């Protein structure tokens, strides 16, 4: 070691020692009570091991008391669980170091739902809302050595029934899977979908569904921080922070804020009083790295570190990953009504995404990996927004962290869906607490875009006969309750605790809380599916922002094999009917979603008798609907500035509107969605024999493009060919080509023709599309041999696939677990060779790969 290095080392050591000497830490001690839990049915005293966080259903399953409710008709056999009380208990050890602290709290992050909690036989809490956290000061009740927590959960259904029977009218809750006069979910602040929904089972859980902690501290703690970016551009950003500090005794403190590596960006000396204190700090970041949504740039996150010092003692530290961005919902008058778009860092951004539901009915069973896959599937499909819908849960912190990290905005509903609410003061106060807690919990996430009061409650009030259910006095009371919750309590919570974020009272509504009218606000476009309109309706009278639309499909055969015995794998089977929860009695008694899939299929495809082929075509049908909808919505920008289909994922293996099934397997629609949400698309539409080709670009800079348009028959003969070089403006939708069909071809056999559109940038195809003049059922796909071969690669296999003649909707079916195909359900042009990667670490027998295509299907 030379002298220079030695010298530097000495200096660093002195510096380290000095800094160690300068500050000591006495930050709160926090630990989780996660092991050794047990549970028993109320009154039985038969204790079995339990997992916390968890649910009673998952514990009963793990202990072999119930069968998997996901399989076959088993759901029916577990309905008894909801009517019982359940008790959870745990012993845990407390040392004298904890007991010596001035403050000791037990924190229940989530109790589902009606519970009495005892600590060493003292009742410390009674809870009735699964959506809030409970903190109980337990100094004086905790003892040194072994302590005991006992949580008695009362049946949510019995509690709900008591409340239901205390009033002389019914409160509409249309999706609950119980007889009309026994629907109780609205009385209980618990995930509505636990009571059954039109895509999920009824599993009314109880349990300690979020973690339990002990927190012990002296002096003062940082309880919470509110952050707001008051200004952000390339040159500088101004960050405002309001820090909530709780002090157990008054005194002088110093509050510091460090951003990334920059120390003491802002700080203040403060005299804290005993109790709650608020301290405000402002900080400036020069040349900030802004947070961008997926596709537009990096979702950069700064690390903001707050500390609280008392002399040389650091009494608390708090770290937040924070995206610096501005976001505005712009609703300005225009020739149609009013705009409805999100402006990120000054740029209008078209929102591309989907609605998400919890990935498990037994909510705490969702793993980190499932969350990662969920958000990856959104990212892969070029989404920039998801909607956390109001019939579910305020999601786990981890979900929002992933959205922050991946540039996915969140349209956040409060948990109210397709129902009305009781109006008693205790219920309203419970809602107020829930709103305050969740607004405070989620407000610093860069992903949080909007707070929305409820899902379809206003629509239901006006359109689903709810008003007519009540006597005049009750009607007035129910409406007053609606106004109090959605026009007073919830907006007040947002205004007070997250003033930077927009509140929107219901989805869908138009401007100024009026019924949705497609001229302003958002819309749920269910004219397709529930209204049985054809897919072309997606192109008509397009709303300003489409926050829901969808069509169902069956999951793939592998998933069906997972939930259905083989003998039940046919269209009319009891298991397939049982899975289907979308009932449409208004169409015809017994008519359900399976019938609707078949009905739509008959309009667009030949309906196969063979079940496996039917399943495949159901997916093509859904993919076609999502492609049509997304392209229509995007072509209509800036009139329309958002497209969120219903729904991205499933909560159990089922037949539903999802594009990715419960096991994470992509349906045909997810491939179609990925293509349609690409940052640049070409898209064709035909009106009165006039073919128009659009380019839609989300990019913030123009594109020098080349567009090749070819018309060919299914044998590959080109009948028309044109090349254009339009400049595509930033963030726009433009028509680049318009021609009447007669000028393209005199060939009358349009059932065997396809328009091929390629968009190139720097001689590379960045977007492509095909346009057929007829629906698939009328196309005449030729007899052709689809050839494929596979070569081993580091990631799995490279599959090369080709066909001499036009091949429609080619599906490579790989009957193995854990495989992913980078593309599937695609058309192959005559003579084209396509390459698809098969990602897997397994050895695949190529001969086992099955190929389905429209060419080979019955009747084509
Ligand atoms: C939407 C949602 C859900 C429902 C879906 C399908 O309107 O808000 O309530 O599951 O439709 O019916």
């Amino acid at each position: 070691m030379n002298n220079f290095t030695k010298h530097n080392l000495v200096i660093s050591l002195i510096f380290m020692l000095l800094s160690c000497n300068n500050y000591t830490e006495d930050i709160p001690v926090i630990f989780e009570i996660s092991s050794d839990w047990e549970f028993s049915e109320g009154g039985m005293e038969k204790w079995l091991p339990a997992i916390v966080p968890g649910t009673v259903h998952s514990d009963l399953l793990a202990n072999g008391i119930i069968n998997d409710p996901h399989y076959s008709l088993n759901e029916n056999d577990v309905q008894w669980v909801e009517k019982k009380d359940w008790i959870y208990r745990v012993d845990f050890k407390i040392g004298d170091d904890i007991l010596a602290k001035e403050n000791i709290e037990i924190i229940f992050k989530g109790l589902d739902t009606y519970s009495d909690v005892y600590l060493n036989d003292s009742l410390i809490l009674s809870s009735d809302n699964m959506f809030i956290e409970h903190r109980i000061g337990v100094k004086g009740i905790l003892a040194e050595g072994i302590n005991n927590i006992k949580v008695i959960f009362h049946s949510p259904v019995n509690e709900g029934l008591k409340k239901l029977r205390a009033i002389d009218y019914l409160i509409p809750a249309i999706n609950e899977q119980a007889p009309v006069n026994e629907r109780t979910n609205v009385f209980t602040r618990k995930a509505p979908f636990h009571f059954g929904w039109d895509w999920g089972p009824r599993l009314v859980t109880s349990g300690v569904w979020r973690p339990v902690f002990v927190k012990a501290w002296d002096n003062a703690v940082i309880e919470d921080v509110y952050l707001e970016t008051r200004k952000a551009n390339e040159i500088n950003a101004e960050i405002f922070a309001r820090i909530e500090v709780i002090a157990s005794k008054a005194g002088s403190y110093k509050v510091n804020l460090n951003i990334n590596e920059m120390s003491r960006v802002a700080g203040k000396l403060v005299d804290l009083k005993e109790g709650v204190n608020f301290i405000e700090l402002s900080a400036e970041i020069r040349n900030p790295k802004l947070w961008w949504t997926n596709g537009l740039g990096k979702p950069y996150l700064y690390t903001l570190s707050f500390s609280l010092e008392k002399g040389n003692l650091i009494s608390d530290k708090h770290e937040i990953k924070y995206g610096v961005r501005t976001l505005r919902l712009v609703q300005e008058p225009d020739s149609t009504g009013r705009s409805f778009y999100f402006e990120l860092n000054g740029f209008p951004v078209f929102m591309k995404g989907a609605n998400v539901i919890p990935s498990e009915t037994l909510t705490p069973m969702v793993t980190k990996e499932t969350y990662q896959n969920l958000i990856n599937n959104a990212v892969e499909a070029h989404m920039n927004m998801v909607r956390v819908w109001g019939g579910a849960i305020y999601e786990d912190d981890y979900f929002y962290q992933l959205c922050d990290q991946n540039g996915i905005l969140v349209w956040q509903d409060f948990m109210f869906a397709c129902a009305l609410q009781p109006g008693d003061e205790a219920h309203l106060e419970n809602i107020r607490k829930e709103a305050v807690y969740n607004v405070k919990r989620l407000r610093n996430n860069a992903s949080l875009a909007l707070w929305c009061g409820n899902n379809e409650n206003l629509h239901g009030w006006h359109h689903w006969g709810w008003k007519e259910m009540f006597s005049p006095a009750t009607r007035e009371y129910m409406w007053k309750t609606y106004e109090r919750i959605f026009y007073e309590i919830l907006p007040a919570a947002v205004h007070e605790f997250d003033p930077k974020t927009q509140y929107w009272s219901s989805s869908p509504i138009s401007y100024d809380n009026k019924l949705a009218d497609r001229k302003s606000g958002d819309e749920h476009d269910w004219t397709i599916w529930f209204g049985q309109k054809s897919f072309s309706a997606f192109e008509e009278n397009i709303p300003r922002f489409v926050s829901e639309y969808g069509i169902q499909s069956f999951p793939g055969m592998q998933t069906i094999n997972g939930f259905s015995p083989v003998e039940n794998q046919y269209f009319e089977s009891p298991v397939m009917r049982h899975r289907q929860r979308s009932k449409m009695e208004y169409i015809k008694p017994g008519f359900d979603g399976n019938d609707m899939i078949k009905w739509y299929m008959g309009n667009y495809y030949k309906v196969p008798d063979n079940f496996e082929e039917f399943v495949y075509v159901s997916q093509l049908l859904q993919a076609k609907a999502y492609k049509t909808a997304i392209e229509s919505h995007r072509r209509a920008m800036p009139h329309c500035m958002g497209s969120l289909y219903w729904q991205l994922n499933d909560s159990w293996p089922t037949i539903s509107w999802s594009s990715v099934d419960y096991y994470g397997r992509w349906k045909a629609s997810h491939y179609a969605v990925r293509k349609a949400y690409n940052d640049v698309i070409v898209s064709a539409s035909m009106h009165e024999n006039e073919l128009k080709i659009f380019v839609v670009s989300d990019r913030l800079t123009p594109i020098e493009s080349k567009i090749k348009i070819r018309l060919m028959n299914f044998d590959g003969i080109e009948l028309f060919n044109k090349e254009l070089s339009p400049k595509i403006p930033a963030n726009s939708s433009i028509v680049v080509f318009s021609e009447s069909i007669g000028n393209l071809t005199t060939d009358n056999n349009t059932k065997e023709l396809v328009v091929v559109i390629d968009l190139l940038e720097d001689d590379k195809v960045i977007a492509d599309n095909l346009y057929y003049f007829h629906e698939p059922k009328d196309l005449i796909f030729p007899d052709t041999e689809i050839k494929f071969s596979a070569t081993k690669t580091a990631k799995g296999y490279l599959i090369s696939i080709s066909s001499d003649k036009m091949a429609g909707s080619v599906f490579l079916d790989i009957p193995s677990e854990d495989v992913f195909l980078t593309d599937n359900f695609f058309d192959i042009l005559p003579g084209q060779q396509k390459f698809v990667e098969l990602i897997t670490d397994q050895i695949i027998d190529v001969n086992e790969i099955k190929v389905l295509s429209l060419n080979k299907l019955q009747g084509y």
Side-chain angles (χ1 to χ4, degrees), residues 296 348 350 352 634-635 637 641 678-682 694-703 727-734 759 766:
L296 287 189
F350 189 100
K352 302 179 290 190
R634 293 189 67 189
R635 288 198 304 260
M637 77 168 296
M641 283 299 281
N678 195 24
D679 68 340
V680 182
I681 56 165
V682 281
F694 289 71
V695 176
V696 184
S697 169
D698 289 344
R699 294 197 193 167
L700 299 182
T701 48
I703 308 169
K727 185 168 175 160
I728 314 297
N731 217 0
S732 64
S733 162
I734 59 163
L759 187 144
I766 58 162

mmCIF file of all heavy atoms in Angstrom, residues 296 348 350 352 634-635 637 641 678-682 694-703 727-734 759 766:
data_model
loop_
_atom_site.group_PDB
_atom_site.id
_atom_site.type_symbol
_atom_site.label_atom_id
_atom_site.label_comp_id
_atom_site.label_asym_id
_atom_site.label_seq_id
_atom_site.Cartn_x
_atom_site.Cartn_y
_atom_site.Cartn_z
ATOM 1 N N LEU A 296 -43.500 5.635 -22.931
ATOM 2 C CA LEU A 296 -43.115 7.027 -23.183
ATOM 3 C C LEU A 296 -41.739 7.371 -22.652
ATOM 4 O O LEU A 296 -41.135 8.354 -23.062
ATOM 5 C CB LEU A 296 -44.139 7.991 -22.569
ATOM 6 C CG LEU A 296 -45.481 8.091 -23.274
ATOM 7 C CD1 LEU A 296 -46.296 9.222 -22.686
ATOM 8 C CD2 LEU A 296 -45.309 8.316 -24.776
ATOM 9 N N PRO A 348 -50.706 15.183 -23.398
ATOM 10 C CA PRO A 348 -51.892 14.304 -23.351
ATOM 11 C C PRO A 348 -51.456 12.875 -23.663
ATOM 12 O O PRO A 348 -50.684 12.652 -24.600
ATOM 13 C CB PRO A 348 -52.780 14.830 -24.490
ATOM 14 C CG PRO A 348 -52.200 16.127 -24.906
ATOM 15 C CD PRO A 348 -50.754 16.136 -24.510
ATOM 16 N N PHE A 350 -52.858 8.903 -24.300
ATOM 17 C CA PHE A 350 -53.960 7.953 -24.493
ATOM 18 C C PHE A 350 -53.753 6.798 -23.518
ATOM 19 O O PHE A 350 -52.682 6.181 -23.484
ATOM 20 C CB PHE A 350 -53.972 7.447 -25.941
ATOM 21 C CG PHE A 350 -55.192 6.632 -26.274
ATOM 22 C CD1 PHE A 350 -56.252 7.204 -26.968
ATOM 23 C CD2 PHE A 350 -55.297 5.311 -25.881
ATOM 24 C CE1 PHE A 350 -57.388 6.460 -27.269
ATOM 25 C CE2 PHE A 350 -56.424 4.557 -26.171
ATOM 26 C CZ PHE A 350 -57.482 5.134 -26.868
ATOM 27 N N LYS A 352 -54.048 3.159 -22.277
ATOM 28 C CA LYS A 352 -54.235 1.830 -22.861
ATOM 29 C C LYS A 352 -54.145 0.824 -21.721
ATOM 30 O O LYS A 352 -53.122 0.789 -21.028
ATOM 31 C CB LYS A 352 -53.120 1.539 -23.869
ATOM 32 C CG LYS A 352 -53.043 2.571 -24.990
ATOM 33 C CD LYS A 352 -51.917 2.276 -25.961
ATOM 34 C CE LYS A 352 -50.548 2.495 -25.350
ATOM 35 N NZ LYS A 352 -49.466 2.439 -26.357
ATOM 36 N N ARG A 634 -58.579 3.858 -30.560
ATOM 37 C CA ARG A 634 -57.335 4.595 -30.819
ATOM 38 C C ARG A 634 -57.429 5.416 -32.102
ATOM 39 O O ARG A 634 -56.885 6.522 -32.171
ATOM 40 C CB ARG A 634 -56.142 3.626 -30.884
ATOM 41 C CG ARG A 634 -55.859 2.972 -29.526
ATOM 42 C CD ARG A 634 -54.563 2.198 -29.546
ATOM 43 N NE ARG A 634 -53.407 3.084 -29.694
ATOM 44 C CZ ARG A 634 -52.172 2.666 -29.914
ATOM 45 N NH1 ARG A 634 -51.930 1.367 -30.013
ATOM 46 N NH2 ARG A 634 -51.175 3.525 -30.046
ATOM 47 N N ARG A 635 -58.108 4.881 -33.109
ATOM 48 C CA ARG A 635 -58.277 5.667 -34.344
ATOM 49 C C ARG A 635 -59.026 6.962 -34.039
ATOM 50 O O ARG A 635 -58.827 7.971 -34.684
ATOM 51 C CB ARG A 635 -59.056 4.859 -35.396
ATOM 52 C CG ARG A 635 -58.284 3.719 -36.017
ATOM 53 C CD ARG A 635 -58.934 3.268 -37.325
ATOM 54 N NE ARG A 635 -60.310 2.887 -37.177
ATOM 55 C CZ ARG A 635 -60.749 1.631 -37.083
ATOM 56 N NH1 ARG A 635 -59.908 0.617 -37.123
ATOM 57 N NH2 ARG A 635 -62.039 1.370 -36.968
ATOM 58 N N MET A 637 -58.763 8.896 -31.493
ATOM 59 C CA MET A 637 -58.101 9.896 -30.669
ATOM 60 C C MET A 637 -57.936 11.189 -31.456
ATOM 61 O O MET A 637 -57.841 11.129 -32.682
ATOM 62 C CB MET A 637 -56.741 9.396 -30.160
ATOM 63 C CG MET A 637 -55.656 9.451 -31.215
ATOM 64 S SD MET A 637 -53.994 9.195 -30.600
ATOM 65 C CE MET A 637 -53.738 10.576 -29.541
ATOM 66 N N MET A 641 -59.799 9.133 -25.504
ATOM 67 C CA MET A 641 -58.421 9.135 -24.986
ATOM 68 C C MET A 641 -58.184 8.015 -23.970
ATOM 69 O O MET A 641 -57.282 8.119 -23.127
ATOM 70 C CB MET A 641 -58.087 10.493 -24.369
ATOM 71 C CG MET A 641 -57.799 11.573 -25.403
ATOM 72 S SD MET A 641 -56.370 11.210 -26.483
ATOM 73 C CE MET A 641 -54.997 11.642 -25.415
ATOM 74 N N ASN A 678 -49.674 -1.488 -29.267
ATOM 75 C CA ASN A 678 -48.315 -1.085 -29.627
ATOM 76 C C ASN A 678 -48.254 0.443 -29.761
ATOM 77 O O ASN A 678 -49.259 1.065 -30.095
ATOM 78 C CB ASN A 678 -47.949 -1.751 -30.959
ATOM 79 C CG ASN A 678 -46.468 -1.680 -31.228
ATOM 80 O OD1 ASN A 678 -45.662 -1.549 -30.307
ATOM 81 N ND2 ASN A 678 -46.092 -1.739 -32.495
ATOM 82 N N ASP A 679 -47.094 1.036 -29.508
ATOM 83 C CA ASP A 679 -47.070 2.515 -29.514
ATOM 84 C C ASP A 679 -47.439 3.099 -30.877
ATOM 85 O O ASP A 679 -47.998 4.179 -30.968
ATOM 86 C CB ASP A 679 -45.736 3.068 -28.974
ATOM 87 C CG ASP A 679 -44.559 2.771 -29.884
ATOM 88 O OD1 ASP A 679 -44.663 1.850 -30.723
ATOM 89 O OD2 ASP A 679 -43.533 3.455 -29.757
ATOM 90 N N VAL A 680 -47.157 2.344 -31.949
ATOM 91 C CA VAL A 680 -47.576 2.774 -33.279
ATOM 92 C C VAL A 680 -48.365 1.627 -33.919
ATOM 93 O O VAL A 680 -47.914 0.484 -33.887
ATOM 94 C CB VAL A 680 -46.354 3.098 -34.163
ATOM 95 C CG1 VAL A 680 -46.803 3.596 -35.535
ATOM 96 C CG2 VAL A 680 -45.449 4.121 -33.498
ATOM 97 N N ILE A 681 -49.518 1.923 -34.457
ATOM 98 C CA ILE A 681 -50.283 0.876 -35.156
ATOM 99 C C ILE A 681 -50.759 1.371 -36.519
ATOM 100 O O ILE A 681 -50.931 2.573 -36.731
ATOM 101 C CB ILE A 681 -51.524 0.378 -34.362
ATOM 102 C CG1 ILE A 681 -52.476 1.535 -33.991
ATOM 103 C CG2 ILE A 681 -51.112 -0.396 -33.120
ATOM 104 C CD1 ILE A 681 -53.860 1.081 -33.541
ATOM 105 N N VAL A 682 -50.957 0.401 -37.416
ATOM 106 C CA VAL A 682 -51.701 0.692 -38.633
ATOM 107 C C VAL A 682 -53.021 -0.040 -38.494
ATOM 108 O O VAL A 682 -53.071 -1.148 -37.967
ATOM 109 C CB VAL A 682 -50.972 0.203 -39.917
ATOM 110 C CG1 VAL A 682 -49.878 1.152 -40.303
ATOM 111 C CG2 VAL A 682 -50.446 -1.210 -39.773
ATOM 112 N N PHE A 694 -55.412 3.926 -41.310
ATOM 113 C CA PHE A 694 -54.990 4.911 -40.309
ATOM 114 C C PHE A 694 -53.626 4.524 -39.764
ATOM 115 O O PHE A 694 -53.287 3.330 -39.693
ATOM 116 C CB PHE A 694 -55.929 4.900 -39.096
ATOM 117 C CG PHE A 694 -57.298 5.452 -39.336
ATOM 118 C CD1 PHE A 694 -58.228 4.758 -40.102
ATOM 119 C CD2 PHE A 694 -57.688 6.649 -38.751
ATOM 120 C CE1 PHE A 694 -59.502 5.252 -40.299
ATOM 121 C CE2 PHE A 694 -58.960 7.151 -38.941
ATOM 122 C CZ PHE A 694 -59.872 6.459 -39.712
ATOM 123 N N VAL A 695 -52.886 5.535 -39.348
ATOM 124 C CA VAL A 695 -51.727 5.280 -38.485
ATOM 125 C C VAL A 695 -51.998 6.014 -37.182
ATOM 126 O O VAL A 695 -52.369 7.185 -37.180
ATOM 127 C CB VAL A 695 -50.404 5.787 -39.102
ATOM 128 C CG1 VAL A 695 -49.253 5.584 -38.119
ATOM 129 C CG2 VAL A 695 -50.110 5.060 -40.403
ATOM 130 N N VAL A 696 -51.839 5.300 -36.080
ATOM 131 C CA VAL A 696 -51.987 5.924 -34.766
ATOM 132 C C VAL A 696 -50.640 5.830 -34.070
ATOM 133 O O VAL A 696 -50.042 4.750 -34.015
ATOM 134 C CB VAL A 696 -53.062 5.202 -33.923
ATOM 135 C CG1 VAL A 696 -53.256 5.930 -32.587
ATOM 136 C CG2 VAL A 696 -54.375 5.088 -34.672
ATOM 137 N N SER A 697 -50.183 6.975 -33.586
ATOM 138 C CA SER A 697 -48.891 6.970 -32.891
ATOM 139 C C SER A 697 -49.016 7.643 -31.538
ATOM 140 O O SER A 697 -49.558 8.725 -31.414
ATOM 141 C CB SER A 697 -47.848 7.714 -33.728
ATOM 142 O OG SER A 697 -46.691 7.922 -32.947
ATOM 143 N N ASP A 698 -48.477 6.960 -30.526
ATOM 144 C CA ASP A 698 -48.441 7.538 -29.166
ATOM 145 C C ASP A 698 -47.131 8.254 -28.910
ATOM 146 O O ASP A 698 -46.937 8.834 -27.854
ATOM 147 C CB ASP A 698 -48.550 6.425 -28.112
ATOM 148 C CG ASP A 698 -49.933 5.827 -28.062
ATOM 149 O OD1 ASP A 698 -50.862 6.445 -28.597
ATOM 150 O OD2 ASP A 698 -50.067 4.735 -27.474
ATOM 151 N N ARG A 699 -46.221 8.162 -29.870
ATOM 152 C CA ARG A 699 -44.892 8.730 -29.619
ATOM 153 C C ARG A 699 -44.960 10.249 -29.501
ATOM 154 O O ARG A 699 -45.804 10.886 -30.149
ATOM 155 C CB ARG A 699 -43.951 8.362 -30.750
ATOM 156 C CG ARG A 699 -43.678 6.881 -30.799
ATOM 157 C CD ARG A 699 -42.471 6.638 -31.638
ATOM 158 N NE ARG A 699 -42.357 5.228 -31.954
ATOM 159 C CZ ARG A 699 -41.541 4.750 -32.879
ATOM 160 N NH1 ARG A 699 -40.780 5.569 -33.592
ATOM 161 N NH2 ARG A 699 -41.473 3.455 -33.105
ATOM 162 N N LEU A 700 -44.049 10.796 -28.743
ATOM 163 C CA LEU A 700 -44.065 12.244 -28.539
ATOM 164 C C LEU A 700 -43.235 12.973 -29.596
ATOM 165 O O LEU A 700 -43.110 14.193 -29.563
ATOM 166 C CB LEU A 700 -43.581 12.586 -27.125
ATOM 167 C CG LEU A 700 -44.449 11.980 -25.998
ATOM 168 C CD1 LEU A 700 -43.942 12.387 -24.631
ATOM 169 C CD2 LEU A 700 -45.917 12.365 -26.149
ATOM 170 N N THR A 701 -42.668 12.207 -30.542
ATOM 171 C CA THR A 701 -41.947 12.823 -31.666
ATOM 172 C C THR A 701 -42.500 12.248 -32.974
ATOM 173 O O THR A 701 -42.991 11.113 -32.998
ATOM 174 C CB THR A 701 -40.437 12.503 -31.596
ATOM 175 O OG1 THR A 701 -40.299 11.102 -31.364
ATOM 176 C CG2 THR A 701 -39.740 13.273 -30.498
ATOM 177 N N PRO A 702 -42.424 13.023 -34.083
ATOM 178 C CA PRO A 702 -42.957 12.522 -35.369
ATOM 179 C C PRO A 702 -42.142 11.338 -35.903
ATOM 180 O O PRO A 702 -41.016 11.108 -35.464
ATOM 181 C CB PRO A 702 -42.821 13.720 -36.305
ATOM 182 C CG PRO A 702 -42.329 14.858 -35.499
ATOM 183 C CD PRO A 702 -41.862 14.367 -34.186
ATOM 184 N N ILE A 703 -42.728 10.608 -36.829
ATOM 185 C CA ILE A 703 -42.023 9.446 -37.416
ATOM 186 C C ILE A 703 -41.928 9.644 -38.931
ATOM 187 O O ILE A 703 -42.923 9.982 -39.578
ATOM 188 C CB ILE A 703 -42.806 8.137 -37.163
ATOM 189 C CG1 ILE A 703 -43.136 7.973 -35.675
ATOM 190 C CG2 ILE A 703 -42.048 6.921 -37.686
ATOM 191 C CD1 ILE A 703 -44.135 6.850 -35.415
ATOM 192 N N LYS A 727 -45.408 11.500 -43.235
ATOM 193 C CA LYS A 727 -44.761 11.854 -41.965
ATOM 194 C C LYS A 727 -45.855 11.726 -40.907
ATOM 195 O O LYS A 727 -46.927 12.310 -41.041
ATOM 196 C CB LYS A 727 -44.250 13.289 -42.056
ATOM 197 C CG LYS A 727 -43.468 13.685 -40.849
ATOM 198 C CD LYS A 727 -42.738 14.995 -41.102
ATOM 199 C CE LYS A 727 -42.062 15.412 -39.808
ATOM 200 N NZ LYS A 727 -41.008 16.344 -40.002
ATOM 201 N N ILE A 728 -45.589 10.910 -39.897
ATOM 202 C CA ILE A 728 -46.621 10.693 -38.878
ATOM 203 C C ILE A 728 -46.387 11.677 -37.742
ATOM 204 O O ILE A 728 -45.362 11.598 -37.057
ATOM 205 C CB ILE A 728 -46.567 9.246 -38.318
ATOM 206 C CG1 ILE A 728 -46.449 8.201 -39.441
ATOM 207 C CG2 ILE A 728 -47.755 8.962 -37.413
ATOM 208 C CD1 ILE A 728 -47.602 8.138 -40.391
ATOM 209 N N PRO A 729 -47.324 12.595 -37.519
ATOM 210 C CA PRO A 729 -47.124 13.556 -36.434
ATOM 211 C C PRO A 729 -47.124 12.859 -35.069
ATOM 212 O O PRO A 729 -47.649 11.755 -34.931
ATOM 213 C CB PRO A 729 -48.332 14.484 -36.539
ATOM 214 C CG PRO A 729 -49.072 14.091 -37.757
ATOM 215 C CD PRO A 729 -48.608 12.745 -38.181
ATOM 216 N N ALA A 730 -46.530 13.542 -34.090
ATOM 217 C CA ALA A 730 -46.496 12.991 -32.727
ATOM 218 C C ALA A 730 -47.916 12.864 -32.193
ATOM 219 O O ALA A 730 -48.789 13.658 -32.550
ATOM 220 C CB ALA A 730 -45.682 13.921 -31.834
ATOM 221 N N ASN A 731 -48.145 11.848 -31.370
ATOM 222 C CA ASN A 731 -49.363 11.723 -30.561
ATOM 223 C C ASN A 731 -50.624 11.987 -31.389
ATOM 224 O O ASN A 731 -51.382 12.919 -31.116
ATOM 225 C CB ASN A 731 -49.260 12.767 -29.430
ATOM 226 C CG ASN A 731 -49.847 12.232 -28.136
ATOM 227 O OD1 ASN A 731 -50.334 11.107 -28.070
ATOM 228 N ND2 ASN A 731 -49.795 13.039 -27.095
ATOM 229 N N SER A 732 -50.836 11.168 -32.401
ATOM 230 C CA SER A 732 -51.933 11.490 -33.314
ATOM 231 C C SER A 732 -52.515 10.241 -33.953
ATOM 232 O O SER A 732 -51.935 9.157 -33.891
ATOM 233 C CB SER A 732 -51.406 12.386 -34.438
ATOM 234 O OG SER A 732 -50.458 11.650 -35.184
ATOM 235 N N SER A 733 -53.662 10.432 -34.572
ATOM 236 C CA SER A 733 -54.252 9.401 -35.419
ATOM 237 C C SER A 733 -54.547 10.058 -36.761
ATOM 238 O O SER A 733 -55.249 11.069 -36.815
ATOM 239 C CB SER A 733 -55.553 8.904 -34.780
ATOM 240 O OG SER A 733 -56.340 8.240 -35.735
ATOM 241 N N ILE A 734 -53.980 9.528 -37.847
ATOM 242 C CA ILE A 734 -54.235 10.146 -39.154
ATOM 243 C C ILE A 734 -54.591 9.082 -40.190
ATOM 244 O O ILE A 734 -54.186 7.927 -40.074
ATOM 245 C CB ILE A 734 -53.029 10.969 -39.677
ATOM 246 C CG1 ILE A 734 -51.782 10.087 -39.821
ATOM 247 C CG2 ILE A 734 -52.749 12.186 -38.810
ATOM 248 C CD1 ILE A 734 -50.707 10.730 -40.691
ATOM 249 N N LEU A 759 -45.902 -0.971 -41.888
ATOM 250 C CA LEU A 759 -45.370 0.370 -41.649
ATOM 251 C C LEU A 759 -43.905 0.225 -41.260
ATOM 252 O O LEU A 759 -43.566 -0.532 -40.334
ATOM 253 C CB LEU A 759 -46.160 1.042 -40.525
ATOM 254 C CG LEU A 759 -45.824 2.509 -40.271
ATOM 255 C CD1 LEU A 759 -47.077 3.279 -39.890
ATOM 256 C CD2 LEU A 759 -44.802 2.663 -39.164
ATOM 257 N N ILE A 766 -42.285 -1.698 -38.168
ATOM 258 C CA ILE A 766 -42.571 -1.445 -36.744
ATOM 259 C C ILE A 766 -44.053 -1.670 -36.428
ATOM 260 O O ILE A 766 -44.444 -1.721 -35.277
ATOM 261 C CB ILE A 766 -42.131 -0.033 -36.291
ATOM 262 C CG1 ILE A 766 -42.815 1.058 -37.128
ATOM 263 C CG2 ILE A 766 -40.625 0.124 -36.309
ATOM 264 C CD1 ILE A 766 -42.779 2.429 -36.460
#
